Amino acid sequence: MDLLIAQITTDLRSSDALRQSSALLQALQQCAAGRDVSALARTAATEILSAPSSAVCKRLALDLLRALPLPPDLLDPLLLTSLRSDLSFPDPDVAASSIASFPSLPSHLLPSLLSSAHADIAAALSSPAESLRLAAVTSLSSLLPRDDLALMCSTNPSLMAHATTWWGRLAELALDSADAVSAGAFEALARLFQELEGRRMSRLAGDKLVDGEGALAVRAQWAADAIDFIWSRRNMLIARTMVMPVESFRVTVYPLVHAAKMVASGVVNTLRRIAKPGDTTIADSVESSAEKLVGVSDIVSHLLPFLSSLDPPLVFEVGINMLALADVPGGKPEWASAAIIAILTLWDRQEFSSMRETIVRAVVTNLHLLDLGMQVSLFKRLLQMVRNLRAESDRMHALACICRTALCVDLFAKESVRRGQKPVPGTDVISLFEDVRVKEDLNSVTSKNLFREELVASLVESCFQLSLPLPELKNSGTESRVIGALAYGTGYGALNWTEPALDVVEVCRPCVLWDCNGRTYAIDCYLKLLVRLCHIYDTRGGVKTIKAGASQDQILNETRLRNLQLQLIRDLREIHTPRISSRLIWAISEHFDLEGLDPLLADDPEDPLNIIISNMHKILFNTDSSATTSNRIQDVQAVLICAQRLGARNARAGQLLSKELEEFRASTSADSVTKHQSRYVLQVIKYVTNHPDNRWVGVGDATGDYPFSHHTLTVQFSEASAAQDRKLEGLVHKAIRELWRPNPSQLTLLQTKGIGALHKEHPKACTLTGSSDPCYIEAYHLADPTDGRITLHLKSGHPCWPFWSTVLYGWLLSHCSAPSESCFPGSSPK
C-alpha cells in the first residue's frame, strides 16, 4: 500500500494532466474500496487545487478531498483560497465541485468563506449552467439548515443578510425550468420546515449544539419568509409540480402543504413574532378565512389524484399531508376519508409490507378527523391490523388511539341523542368487541394471545383518563378536536364518563376467568375500574329510588352495576386461580349491598353471600397452588381483611365468618402470623356484633381503593409473569400518557414560558443520613428530571444493612412519587 501511495504521489507531482487524472482516479478507487489514502490529501490540495490544472483534474481532486477526512493542518488559508478561486473557474463543473465541498468544512471556517464568496454563490444560483445551479442548491440545502450556521447567523448580521438572500433565491428556484434544480429547491425548503417543526438537532456539522434564542429567531424568520413566498405563489408552484417527473413529485408535497397549514392555522404570525420579539408593528395576516380555505382547497384538489398512484411511497406521502390539511380550521372529513382509505390500500402491497407500523400509526393518529360512521367502520379492521403488528410500542400506541377515539365517539353519540338527534348505530364502546376473533379471545379461558390483555388494559386506562380534568385548550389542531368532542360529551355532568366505563366493565367481564400464566395486570386494571365505579355509585347502599332523589340514568346505572356484581359472584366458582379469586372477592365484597339480600335464602347455596364465603374458605385452606397461580401470603391477608370488613357490616356475614376463622385458626394451614390476625378479626367481629350502637366511625366505609397494584421500582422480579406484568404496565402507561397528556412542544414552551424553557434542570441531590455508634449508614439519591432517573448511593458501616434497606425503601416510596401519579389514578409511585 505504501508503494501504491508513493506511485500516486509521484504522478500527482508530475506536470502531465493525463498522469494526474489517472492517479486521482486510482486514489478514488482505493478510497471507495475502504482503504486509507488520507496521506494523499495534502499532495492533491497543493499540486492540483493550488496550482494551475485541467478542469478534469480539479474536479477529481475536489471529489477526493470530499471523500477523505481532512486533517486540521490541511485547512490552511491556501486551501480555502483555492476553493474560493475555483468558484469562478470557467468550467461550471469545477465551480460546482468547489461549492459542493463547503458542507464538509468545519464550522469555524464557514463565516469568512461564505462572506467572501457571497457574490460567487449568488452567481452560481443564477448561472445558466444547470449543473452549477443544482450543485449550489444541493450544497446550500445541506449547509443553511444546520444548527451551527443558525447560531453564527444570530451573532453575525452580515452573514445573516447573505443567508436570508440565499433562502429567498432557493425559494425562487422552486420555479426553475430544470426539474432537478426545482426538486432540490423544494427539498431545501422541506428541510428548513422540518428542522423548525421537529426541533431536531442536526448532526450535519458533527457538533452537539443547543439552540439559543437568537438561532430560533433566525430559523423562524427564514421559515416565515419561505411560507409567505410559497403561499403567494402557490398557483405557480402547483403548475410547476404538475410537469415534473413522478419520481420528483414526492419532494414537492410537504413544502406546499406545510406552508398552507401554517397560514391557515395562523402559526406563521407566531413565527414572525418569534423572529422579531418585541416588534409591535407586526400585524396578523389580513387574509380572510374564505381566502385561506380556498387556498387550502386548491392544494387538496391538486393532491387528490395522486392518491391513486401506483407508487406506494408517493401515495403515503400525499395521504399523510392531506391528513395534515384536514386538521386545519376549515378542513373537511372527506379529505381525511380519502387519505386514510388510500393509505389503508397499502397494507396488502408487498413492496410496502415493511411499513405496516407506519400505516397503522398514521391512521389511528388521525381517526378523530373522520365522521362518526367512518370511525366506527374502521374499528374492527384496525383491531385486526394492530393485532398483527410486531413492535409492542406500536401496538400500545395504536390501541391507545383506538380506545380514546372509541370513548370519544361513545360520549359524543350519547350526548347527541340527549340533545334530540338521531342515534348512530355501532357508536358504543361495545362495538370494539363485535369482531369474531376479538370476541373469541375475550371469552377464551386459556388463550395464549397477549393482545387481549393489551386491549383490556388500554381500554380501562383510557377510562381512567376520562375521569381526570381535561387538559387546557391552548392551541388548535389534533388535540383541540379530541378535547372538544370529549368536552361536548361530558358537558352536562362530571360523571358522564362513567357511562362508557360501565360498558367497558360489562363487556370485559370474561377477563376475570382468564388463565394468563400468572400475569394479572389486565385483570387488575379491570377490577380497579370496577371498584371505582362501585364507589362512585355507592352500590353498598343498593339501588336508589326516585323518592330518594335519584335520576332515571342513575337508577339504570346502579341496576347494571348490581347485576354485574351478581354475575361476577357466580363467576367465582369458575375461577381456578387463587390469586384472581382473592382480588375479585375484595372488589365485590367491599361494595356489595349485603342488606338487600333476601333473608329467606340464607341457607341457599346460590345466595351471593354464601358463594363469597365458600370461595374465601377455598383460599384460606388452599395449600396446593404453585407460585405462578398463587401468592398465598397476599391471598390470605386479603381474605382476612375482607372477612373483617364483611363481618363488621352484616350480622349474618359476621356469624358465618366467625365460624370459618375459628376453623382456620385451628388448622395447620395457618401460620403464627395469620393465627394472630384471625384472632384480631374475630375480636372485631364479636365487638361489633355485641355493640351495634357503639360502632366506631369508619369501621367499614369503602374507600374505592384497590390495593393490589404493584410497585414499579426497577427490582428483580422473582417470577417471570410479574416482570411481564410490569413491562406491559410500563408500555400501556407510556402510550396513554403520550396521547392524553403529551409533553408540550418546545415551540409551545417558547411561546408561553420564553427561552428559559429550553434550559435543562440540573440533577438534585437529596441526602438521607442516619447514624448510631457503632452502626451508621449514609445515603443520598440523585434525581435527574431530564432522564427521569433516580440514582441511589449508599454507604453502610454495619452488617445490619437489611434493616436500613427497608427504611430506605420506604423513604424512597414516600419521597419519589412518579410524575405519572396524576395521570393514572391508583397507580403506585415509582
Side-chain angles (χ1 to χ4, degrees), residues 444-485:
S444 173
V445 175
T446 58
S447 174
K448 303 301 180 184
N449 196 346
L450 277 174
F451 178 72
R452 61 178 187 173
E453 299 175 45
E454 298 167 351
L455 175 58
V456 169
S458 299
L459 195 53
V460 170
E461 295 289 8
S462 299
C463 289
F464 278 121
Q465 292 300 314
L466 273 183
S467 68
L468 298 174
L470 296 173
E472 294 182 17
L473 181 61
K474 291 185 179 178
N475 57 351
S476 60
T478 300
E479 294 304 315
S480 66
R481 286 176 180 247
V482 175
I483 293 169

Side-chain angles (χ1 to χ4, degrees), residues 616-828:
M616 293 171 72
H617 176 89
K618 290 180 183 178
I619 295 172
L620 290 175
F621 291 92
N622 175 56
T623 56
D624 300 330
S625 297
S626 62
T628 58
T629 60
S630 173
N631 182 349
R632 175 163 171 75
I633 297 176
Q634 187 184 73
D635 297 339
V636 172
Q637 293 293 313
V639 167
L640 290 177
I641 295 175
C642 284
Q644 174 186 332
R645 300 172 75 88
L646 270 178
R649 283 173 51 203
N650 182 267
R652 183 162 74 91
Q655 183 180 1
L656 294 174
L657 287 169
S658 297
K659 180 181 177 182
E660 291 291 341
L661 293 177
E662 290 286 1
E663 185 180 349
F664 177 63
R665 283 182 63 197
S667 70
T668 57
S669 301
D671 55 24
S672 59
V673 175
T674 52
K675 285 181 180 180
H676 283 293
Q677 188 173 0
S678 301
R679 176 175 168 272
Y680 168 74
V681 172
L682 284 169
Q683 287 179 342
V684 170
I685 293 175
K686 182 179 179 181
Y687 180 86
V688 172
T689 303
N690 295 335
H691 305 84
D693 297 332
N694 295 340
R695 184 180 305 176
W696 54 89
V697 177
V699 63
D701 286 351
T703 61
D705 186 30
Y706 182 76
F708 296 97
S709 298
H710 296 275
H711 295 300
T712 52
L713 290 171
T714 307
V715 296
Q716 294 294 325
F717 296 101
S718 57
E719 307 168 12
S721 59
Q724 291 172 347
D725 270 343
R726 302 292 69 75
K727 179 182 178 181
L728 178 59
E729 181 179 10
L731 289 169
V732 172
H733 278 204
K734 180 181 178 183
I736 295 287
R737 190 184 307 116
E738 288 177 351
L739 186 66
W740 286 82
R741 301 291 189 273
N743 293 325
S745 65
Q746 289 186 330
L747 196 57
T748 304
L749 288 175
L750 285 168
Q751 290 178 249
T752 56
K753 298 183 179 181
I755 193 63
L758 290 180
H759 299 159
K760 294 183 177 181
E761 296 182 38
H762 293 291
K764 298 177 182 179
C766 303
T767 306
L768 170 70
T769 301
S771 62
S772 60
D773 194 17
C775 169
Y776 70 90
I777 182 169
E778 294 179 359
Y780 70 94
H781 82 274
L782 201 63
D784 191 342
T786 302
D787 295 336
R789 180 182 303 165
I790 295 175
T791 307
L792 183 63
H793 302 264
L794 303 172
K795 185 168 73 171
S796 175
H798 196 270
C800 68
W801 162 242
F803 166 74
W804 282 102
S805 66
T806 306
V807 174
L808 278 173
Y809 183 78
W811 180 80
L812 273 177
L813 291 183
S814 61
H815 286 77
C816 307
S817 59
S820 62
E821 179 69 18
S822 60
C823 300
F824 298 96
S827 63
S828 305

